């Protein structure tokens, strides 16, 4: 940081632009780096819960005429980038730092990062977003560098409504989420403090609400491994087959769910997804096969560890032992396919980081090296979640049942 860092020092100019165009932002908000070196919004002073932090009018939202067309959003961003100082949003785009981070869509397909996922999800899906852009928006044509930049801004910063200045300076944290959103009548957005915010506390948004997106999705779209709570999902051929044979198969992981004749009235417990799934709260607390109900708080509020432990105990009491053992088998098989262990990954990660930093000290940013570090960091977090799920499956007591699932 420091006054010569344009990623920080240009913030007051952005505030002037925003407020002179009808926006409002609380003066106790500033921009800084967190303990991982990620730029984002921080409270410079205490802010009481309920405070309107940001009021972005509809007239400042960057959006095309046809707001339902995602390609039109990217094209519109591209037009503004191209217009440079002629664009009303020039000051806003000038503060953008999306080129400073990497997402899997940017990985070179002939380089190591691809194989460093070791087949774990999102393997095979890493370039899904850029492929969508190329095939859907560009009719298969190679996009220009400026179009790729517009696409990346859209991918990593846009809300449903479009790009919302100031709002998109908030980082993601589902454990420490301290804001909520409210659409305003003029097509704009209000960001409101959900809790009291302490001085120097980051101001967080969510990119993965109510369990709709997993930590796999967050990584594939934004390129980072989210902090706890994490939601990990995976599948295998056996699960695919079960789901194919019976689309309601995953509902019967829970005791108490019964089909009532033709209807499914007695489906008390709704699985968050048909996949194998683990919700990780800490290095030793996790819920196997969470329900929609259990994950509904993600991105919408905070829950203490005591409350989580209590809810997870109750949750595991309605899980069938046969579902848990199916997950155990899947993890065991998965670990057998993985070429490196957790311990090895920790050492590989340290040496890859060292190699990357050595090059960086010479003033060169090697993106391929950075992508490898990103991939190894991610697979390590995934394996730790799988190992924890295995431990919980072995130690916990679940509802014994006679029916095989
Ligand atoms: C909407 S922007 C958030 C603000 C951005 N950091 C900035 O300074 O302009 C989204 C990007 O911020 C970064 N980011 C957000 N939350 C993060 C987190 N919890 N950990 C690491 N990077 C994060 C990622 O690069 C992501 O693509």
């Amino acid at each position: 940081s420091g006054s010569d860092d344009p990623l920080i020092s240009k913030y007051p100019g952005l505030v002037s632009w925003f407020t002179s165009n009808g926006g409002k932002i609380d003066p106790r908000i500033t921009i800084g780096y967190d303990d991982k070196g990620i730029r984002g919004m921080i409270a410079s002073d205490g802010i009481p819960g309920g405070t309107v932090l940001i009021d972005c009018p509809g007239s400042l939202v960057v959006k095309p005429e046809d707001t339902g067309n995602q390609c039109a959003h990217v094209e519109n961003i591209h037009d503004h980038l191209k217009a440079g100082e002629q664009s009303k949003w020039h000051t806003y785009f000038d503060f953008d730092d999306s080129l400073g981070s990497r997402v899997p869509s940017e990985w070179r397909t002939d380089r190591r990062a691809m194989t460093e996922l070791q087949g774990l999800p999102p393997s095979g899906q890493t370039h899904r977003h850029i492929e969508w852009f190329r095939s859907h928006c560009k009719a298969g044509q190679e996009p220009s560098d400026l179009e790729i930049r517009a696409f990346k801004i859209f991918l990593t910063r846009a809300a449903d409504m479009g790009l919302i200045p100031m709002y998109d300076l908030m980082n993601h944290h589902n454990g420490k989420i301290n804001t909520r959103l409210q659409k305003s009548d003029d097509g704009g957005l209000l960001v409101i403090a959900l809790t009291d915010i302490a001085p120097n506390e980051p101001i967080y948004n969510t990119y993965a609400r109510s369990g709709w997106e997993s930590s796999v999705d967050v990584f594939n779209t934004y390129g980072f491994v989210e902090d706890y709570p994490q939601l990990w999902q995976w599948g295998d051929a056996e699960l695919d087959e079960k789901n194919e044979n019976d689309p309601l198969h995953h509902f019967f992981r829970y005791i108490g769910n019964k089909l009532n004749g033709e209807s499914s009235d007695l489906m008390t417990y709704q699985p968050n997804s048909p996949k194998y799934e683990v919700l990780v709260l800490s290095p030793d607390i996790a819920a196997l096969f969470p329900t929609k109900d259990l994950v509904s708080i993600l991105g919408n509020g905070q829950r203490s560890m005591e409350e989580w432990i209590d809810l997870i105990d109750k949750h595991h009491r309605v899980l069938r032992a046969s579902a848990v053992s199916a997950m155990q088998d899947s993890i065991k098989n998965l670990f057998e396919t993985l070429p490196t262990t957790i311990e090895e990954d920790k050492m590989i990660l340290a040496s890859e980081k060292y190699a990357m930093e050595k090059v960086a000290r010479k003033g060169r940013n090697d993106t391929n090296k950075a992508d490898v570090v990103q991939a190894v960091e991610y697979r390590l977090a995934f394996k730790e979640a799988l190992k924890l799920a295995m431990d919980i499956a072995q130690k916990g007591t679940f509802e014994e049942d006679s029916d095989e699932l």
Side-chain angles (χ1 to χ4, degrees):
S1 58
S3 57
D4 53 348
D5 176 357
L7 290 174
I8 302 289
S9 63
K10 285 185 174 181
Y11 179 67
L14 180 68
V15 171
S16 306
W17 168 82
F18 187 68
T19 53
S20 65
N21 282 285
K24 291 188 197 110
I25 181 150
D26 193 282
R28 292 164 291 191
I29 288 175
T30 184
I31 294 296
Y33 292 96
D34 71 6
D35 45 17
K36 286 192 217 145
I38 311 294
R39 187 184 75 165
M41 205 172 254
I42 297 176
S44 59
D45 204 349
I47 303 177
T51 304
V52 175
L53 301 170
I54 302 168
D55 178 351
C56 180
S59 59
L60 280 184
V61 176
V62 183
K63 56 176 189 289
E65 241 161 70
D66 181 4
T67 52
N69 178 346
Q70 299 202 309
C71 296
H73 276 274
V74 183
E75 203 177 309
N76 179 54
I77 295 167
H78 174 256
D79 291 346
H80 283 289
L81 291 173
K82 203 167 175 185
E85 291 186 13
Q86 305 304 311
S87 164
K88 171 177 156 186
W89 283 272
H90 176 252
T91 313
Y92 162 73
F93 284 111
D94 193 39
F95 201 62
D96 168 60
D97 82 331
S98 347
L99 292 178
S101 65
R102 300 269 294 175
V103 299
S105 273
E106 295 171 284
W107 289 356
R108 274 186 51 171
T109 50
D110 60 344
R111 290 303 196 110
R112 255 180 66 210
M114 302 294 290
T115 49
E116 293 299 343
L117 288 183
Q118 299 182 339
L120 290 168
S123 292
Q125 298 288 316
T126 49
H127 289 68
R128 187 164 65 85
H129 298 302
I130 190 76
E131 273 161 19
W132 163 82
F133 180 58
R134 218 178 259 132
S135 64
H136 201 80
C137 306
K138 293 294 300 168
Q141 268 181 5
E142 205 45 46
S144 70
D145 287 351
L146 200 64
E147 281 171 324
I148 289 186
R149 181 166 173 219
F151 157 77
K152 190 172 173 191
I153 290 176
F154 175 71
L155 180 68
T156 63
R157 312 190 74 92
D160 295 346
M161 311 153 70
L163 291 174
I164 306 172
M166 298 300 177
Y167 155 85
D168 68 353
L169 291 170
M170 289 185 286
N171 287 325
H172 166 92
H173 203 305
N174 273 352
K176 298 177 180 169
I177 178 91
N178 50 18
T179 62
R180 65 180 181 85
L181 309 176
Q182 194 177 301
K183 288 193 176 166
S184 51
D185 299 336
D186 72 342
L189 187 78
L190 300 176
V191 178
I192 299 165
L194 182 66
T195 61
D196 289 348
I197 303 174
N200 299 319
E201 192 178 308
I203 298 173
Y204 287 120
N205 183 22
T206 183
Y207 309 164
R209 200 180 290 280
S210 314
W212 293 328
E213 299 90 9
S214 67
S215 298
V216 179
D217 302 316
V218 169
F219 178 74
N220 207 18
T221 304
Y222 304 95
F224 65 88
V225 181
E226 66 172 326
D227 216 334
Y228 303 122
Q230 299 167 338
L231 195 58
W232 297 97
Q233 298 175 340
W234 73 99
D236 62 17
E238 200 168 324
L239 186 68
D240 287 347
E241 200 190 308
K242 282 176 184 167
N243 287 332
E244 222 161 86
N245 293 341
D246 177 7
L248 290 178
H249 163 265
H250 48 294
F251 279 80
F252 296 101
R253 292 164 180 163
Y254 312 103
I255 296 287
N257 272 355
K258 289 192 184 68
L259 273 185
N260 183 16
E262 287 299 292
S263 79
S264 49
D265 286 350
L266 290 180
M267 295 290 194
T268 315
Y269 304 100
Q270 280 203 56
N272 188 49
S273 80
K275 299 190 176 169
Y276 297 112
E277 188 162 10
V278 186
L279 171 68
V280 182
L281 280 316
S282 79
D284 46 27
I285 297 166
L288 312 183
F289 292 124
T291 55
K292 278 200 195 308
D293 199 41
L294 196 63
V295 299
S296 62
I297 194 167
L298 297 181
N300 298 309
Q302 297 185 19
R303 184 175 274 161
S304 73
M305 206 49 83
E306 289 72 30
E307 289 171 306
W308 275 119
I309 290 170
D310 185 48
L311 286 170
I312 291 173
D313 275 352
K314 290 195 179 99
H315 167 73
H316 282 165
R317 257 176 262 151
V318 303
L319 257 193
R320 281 181 201 273
S322 55
V324 174
S325 94
M327 180 185 279
Q328 254 175 307
D329 289 347
S330 171
I331 296 174
K332 203 168 148 275
N333 292 337
L334 196 52
F335 268 120
E336 275 164 17
T337 69
L338 296 172
T340 56
T341 64
I342 289 176
E343 291 314 312
E344 286 165 342
D345 282 353
K346 285 181 181 165
M347 283 161 60
I348 293 167
L349 183 60
S351 79
E352 292 294 346
K353 270 190 176 163
Y354 179 80
M356 179 181 78
E357 280 154 16
K358 197 168 153 190
V359 172
R361 275 196 297 276
K362 290 181 186 149
R364 207 157 48 82
N365 275 327
D366 186 328
T367 51
N368 292 310
K369 280 199 166 60
D371 295 346
V372 166
V373 167
Q374 194 178 26
V376 176
E377 216 159 49
Y378 170 82
R379 83 176 183 225
L380 175 58
F382 204 148
K383 288 179 197 180
E384 283 178 326
L386 292 170
K387 180 170 179 289
L388 176 60
M390 194 69 147
D391 289 349
I392 290 170
Q394 275 159 2
K395 282 185 208 132
T397 44
F398 303 93
E399 198 63 44
E400 290 301 334
D401 53 341
S402 47
D403 344 331
E404 264 306 304
L405 268 195

